[in-house]
Amino acid sequence: MGQCCAKCKETPEVVSVGQRQEAGRPSLTPLVASEESPDAQDVAPTPPVLPQDEPQPEPPPEPSDRSASASPPPAMKDEEALPSPPKGNYLDFPIMQDMKTIEYVQKSKVIVILKGLPGSGKSFISRQLKKMYKDGMICSADQYFMEDGEYKFNADKLKFAHEFCQKNAKKAAVSGVPVIIIDNTNIQAWNYKYYLKLSKEHHYTPLILEPQTPWAKNTKLLAKKNSHGVPKEALDQRLKKYEPALPLYYWWFLNEEDSSQILTMAQDWLKKSLQVQEFFEDFCEFSKLSSVEDMLMYYKRNEGPGDYKVLHATACVTRKGKAKNAKEYMAKKVVKDSLGKIFPLHVIGFVLTPRTYGVRLRLGEEALELWGMDDHEVESEDTTSASSGQQPVRDGQVSLDDTNLRKGSCHSTLRTGKSQLDKSRFHPMSGRGSRAHLTLGCAPMVHAKITGFDLMKVVVLEQGVMKNENPEESSEMFESFSIPKACEVVWSVACTDLISELLVDHFYSKLSWVSF
C-alpha cells in the first residue's frame, strides 16, 4: 500500500455543513423490520410454468390504471432515527446492515435491481428493503398479474407486464422516489438494461443485488420454494441462460446534491482564479480565448444519453472481466463485500490543465483496498492524439454551470474540515491512490480519462519541488499567487503545458460503492 506525506495523513476536524433541510427533498422514514426469512416461503399452487422473459420494449406513453402513484416524498427531519437493520438470514448487504450506508441511502437516490431465479429470495429482499425505506417503491412485472389480491399469470401478457413495470419505475424516477426496487428475475443483462438507462437519465445510483441463499442455483430446491409453481425443468433452462452481472467499471458515486454543489464550487474557483492577472494571461494563451465569459465555458461536461451526470470516481476498469487483472480484482472478497457500501473520500483540491478540470481525492485506508487503477500508467499515443483534436465532438456537451442536475433532490453529505493551507503550499499525494479524481469537465476534443493522466503529472511536479529545497534552481518554474478569500493558487509550468492546482479546504463526502 502506498504512502502519502505526513500532512496528508493528518485527520481534519470534521464538522457538519449544510444542515438546513429544504422542503420537498426526498426522504426515507425509519421503520423497524420484522424477523422474516425466505426459508418460510410457501409454495403456491398457481400457474405451473412461467416462461422465459421476453425482450422488454420501451414503455408506452401512459401508464395503466394499475400504476402506483409516485409523489415526491417529504423532507427528512434531523430528529428522525435511522431504520433498524432487518433480522433474518441472507440479508447481509451493506444497504440493509451497514448503518453509515443506510444513512447515506436516506439522503440519496438509489435504484436496486434484483437478479436471480424464481424462489431464490428476491421478493424477500425487496419486502425487507421496502420496510426499511418506506418511501421507496417496488416495481415488478408480477404486479401486473395481481387481481383482487390473487396472482393470475397469463403467458400471453408477459410483454405487457414488463411494460407495466417499466412505466411504474419511470414514474417513480421522474417523481424522485428515493429508493426504487426492481423485483424481476433479470436473468440476462438486456433484461435490466432499461433500468440502468433510467438511473443515468434521472441521476440514481444503480445497485445490482443477487440473493445469497444456498439454494440460489439449486433448481431442485428452487422448484419447491418459488411461489409461482415453476417446475425444475423450466428452471434448468433458465439457469443455462443465466448471465452474471459483469461490470465495465467499479465506481464511487456522489449523489445528485453533492455533485451539484461541487460543480458550483468548481465554477466559483475558476472565476476567482481568472481574477489573477498572470493566470488570466496564461489561460488566454493556451485557450485562445480573450474574455472571462468565454473562459468559463472552456471546460465542458458530457451530457449524452450514455453518460452519468452525477460525479463519480473510478476505482477499477474491468470491461466485463476483459481488462488486465480484471478477473482477479472482481474475485477479491473485499471487492464483493464492498458492493453498495459507502466510503469517505477527501477532496483536497481542484486541478486545472489546458486539457482538463478535475477534483483531486485522497482515499482512506478502506477505499485504498479497493483501488485497482495503475498510478504509474503511461499515456498512450492514441490517447494523446484523441485529445489533440482527432476525436469527433460528442453531442450533449455543456458547461460546468449548465448541468441538468436537480438541486435539492437529495440531501448533501458533504462535510468540511480544517484548512491546511497555512502548513504547506503543496499537498502532495504520491504512491497508491494518487491518481484518484473526479472529472469535472474537459477542453474541446478531450476525453474524461485524460484527467487522471494530468493529475499524475501534477504529482511528479510536486515531488520535484518537495525534493528541491531551493525551488528557484528547479528545472520547472513554480509561482504562487493570492486570490480572493485568502486561498492560495499554485501552478507550475513544465515545458509547454500549464498545470494549475487550486488548494482548497478539505471536504468529507460519503460516496456509494456500486457495480453496474
Side-chain angles (χ1 to χ4, degrees):
M1 188 170 294
Q3 298 292 324
C4 54
C5 70
K7 294 186 182 300
C8 286
K9 287 185 175 293
E10 294 178 7
T11 303
E13 180 182 358
V14 178
V15 295
S16 298
V17 295
Q19 291 297 316
R20 182 176 65 86
Q21 306 297 339
E22 298 179 4
R25 286 188 174 186
S27 69
L28 297 169
T29 306
L31 180 68
V32 179
S34 63
E35 297 186 22
E36 185 179 358
S37 170
D39 292 291
Q41 287 186 339
D42 294 328
V43 179
T46 44
V49 179
L50 191 62
Q52 296 296 319
D53 294 340
E54 298 179 10
Q56 301 175 13
E58 293 294 317
E62 294 295 332
S64 66
D65 294 339
R66 303 176 187 180
S67 296
S69 174
S71 57
M76 184 171 69
K77 298 179 181 179
D78 293 338
E79 64 270 16
E80 283 184 340
L82 294 176
S84 299
K87 297 179 181 179
N89 297 325
Y90 320 121
L91 295 174
D92 191 20
F93 300 102
I95 193 174
M96 304 178 79
Q97 300 296 333
D98 183 75
M99 295 308 296
K100 291 183 178 179
T101 300
I102 293 171
E103 180 183 9
Y104 177 84
V105 173
Q106 281 195 306
K107 297 179 178 181
S108 306
K109 298 193 303 185
V110 178
I111 182 166
V112 180
I113 302 172
L114 294 169
K115 174 181 174 64
L117 293 169
S120 59
K122 299 186 305 301
S123 295
F124 169 64
I125 294 173
S126 68
R127 290 193 296 270
Q128 294 298 328
L129 285 170
K130 184 65 173 70
K131 288 180 180 180
M132 291 186 68
Y133 306 106
K134 82 172 189 181
D135 286 322
M137 179 174 172
I138 297 175
C139 301
S140 173
D142 279 348
Q143 293 169 341
Y144 181 84
F145 299 111
M146 296 300 296
E147 296 183 9
D148 299 324
E150 184 179 356
Y151 182 80
K152 296 182 179 180
F153 177 73
N154 184 337
D156 294 334
K157 295 184 178 181
L158 188 57
K159 170 184 174 180
F160 303 107
H162 282 297
E163 290 177 352
F164 166 80
C165 182
Q166 291 176 352
K167 286 184 293 186
N168 281 342
K170 185 171 183 178
K171 279 187 64 178
V174 170
S175 299
V177 172
V179 179
I180 302 174
I181 306 156
I182 309 301
D183 185 8
N184 293 327
T185 55
N186 294 311
I187 300 298
Q188 296 176 299
W190 65 263
N191 293 129
Y192 52 88
K193 182 178 180 180
Y194 175 86
Y195 303 106
L196 291 178
K197 180 182 177 183
L198 200 66
S199 72
K200 294 179 182 181
E201 292 176 346
H202 297 280
H203 319 134
Y204 277 75
T205 297
L207 176 61
I208 298 174
L209 293 185
E210 297 186 66
Q212 300 302 304
T213 50
W215 61 86
K217 301 294 176 60
N218 186 324
T219 56
K220 183 177 180 180
L221 291 177
L222 288 172
K224 296 179 180 179
K225 289 181 174 291
N226 80 84
S227 60
H228 299 318
V230 184
K232 182 179 182 302
E233 293 74 18
L235 292 168
D236 287 334
Q237 292 300 314
R238 288 194 175 199
L239 184 58
K240 290 179 181 179
K241 296 182 178 180
Y242 197 92
E243 295 178 353
L246 299 177
L248 292 170
Y249 312 91
Y250 284 79
W251 282 350
W252 287 289
F253 282 77
L254 279 75
N255 73 21
E256 195 170 20
E257 177 66 17
D258 292 342
S259 297
S260 179
Q261 287 191 19
I262 289 180
L263 285 166
T264 299
M265 190 185 309
Q267 190 76 335
D268 187 48
W269 279 114
L270 181 56
K271 291 178 183 178
K272 290 180 173 65
S273 301
L274 291 171
Q275 296 176 24
V276 178
Q277 185 62 31
E278 293 89 342
F279 182 84
F280 176 82
E281 292 174 356
D282 280 334
F283 206 103
C284 286
E285 183 177 350
F286 75 75
S287 68
K288 309 304 180 185
L289 301 174
S290 58
S291 70
V292 172
E293 291 74 17
D294 290 338
M295 292 176 185
L296 292 175
M297 297 287 291
Y298 178 73
Y299 299 105
K300 302 285 188 180
R301 302 185 66 232
N302 287 326
E303 293 280 334
D307 300 306
Y308 274 97
K309 283 74 172 177
V310 294
L311 298 178
H312 48 270
T314 302
C316 188
V317 177
T318 55
R319 303 192 192 285
K320 297 186 177 181
K322 297 179 181 179
K324 183 180 179 181
N325 301 323
K327 292 182 179 179
E328 293 80 0
Y329 179 88
M330 295 163 64
K332 289 182 179 180
K333 185 177 185 301
V334 66
V335 173
K336 293 180 178 180
D337 292 344
S338 297
L339 297 180
K341 187 177 181 181
I342 62 98
F343 293 85
L345 305 182
H346 297 264
V347 172
I348 59 175
F350 294 104
V351 180
L352 295 96
T353 80
R355 305 189 298 179
T356 61
Y357 190 3
V359 171
R360 189 175 188 178
L361 300 176
R362 176 165 65 87
L363 304 179
E365 292 297 322
E366 284 188 307
L368 275 174
E369 291 187 53
L370 305 170
W371 183 246
M373 300 296 288
D374 182 0
D375 294 296
H376 305 288
E377 183 181 356
V378 178
E379 186 175 345
S380 61
E381 292 183 3
D382 61 326
T383 301
T384 305
S385 63
S387 65
S388 63
Q390 296 183 16
Q391 182 71 15
V393 178
R394 296 187 62 181
D395 294 332
Q397 289 191 323
V398 298
S399 62
L400 299 186
D401 59 352
D402 185 27
T403 175
N404 64 358
L405 294 176
R406 294 185 292 180
K407 196 170 183 61
S409 65
C410 300
H411 296 263
S412 175
T413 71
L414 292 175
R415 300 291 183 267
T416 187
K418 185 178 180 181
S419 172
Q420 296 184 356
L421 291 177
D422 57 335
K423 299 180 181 180
S424 173
R425 60 181 293 189
F426 291 105
H427 287 256
M429 263 293 300
S430 60
R432 186 171 171 80
S434 59
R435 186 179 177 178
H437 68 277
L438 306 170
T439 296
L440 300 174
C442 300
M445 309 294 184
V446 176
H447 288 291
K449 62 183 177 182
I450 298 297
T451 311
F453 292 115
D454 284 355
L455 178 53
M456 287 189 284
K457 290 183 179 180
V458 170
V459 172
V460 172
L461 290 170
E462 285 179 339
Q463 289 175 321
V465 171
M466 297 298 289
K467 292 177 181 178
N468 194 335
E469 296 181 359
N470 187 0
E472 295 180 358
E473 298 177 0
S474 175
S475 59
E476 282 88 18
M477 179 178 62
F478 296 88
E479 298 183 68
S480 179
F481 300 91
S482 296
I483 62 176
K485 296 187 178 179
C487 181
E488 186 180 41
V489 177
V490 180
W491 73 72
S492 5
V493 179
C495 300
T496 60
D497 289 336
L498 172 70
I499 301 180
S500 311
E501 181 174 7
L502 310 182
L503 300 180
V504 300
D505 289 355
H506 289 248
F507 285 84
Y508 183 85
S509 177
K510 296 188 176 75
L511 312 176
S512 288
W513 168 261
V514 303
S515 172
F516 75 98

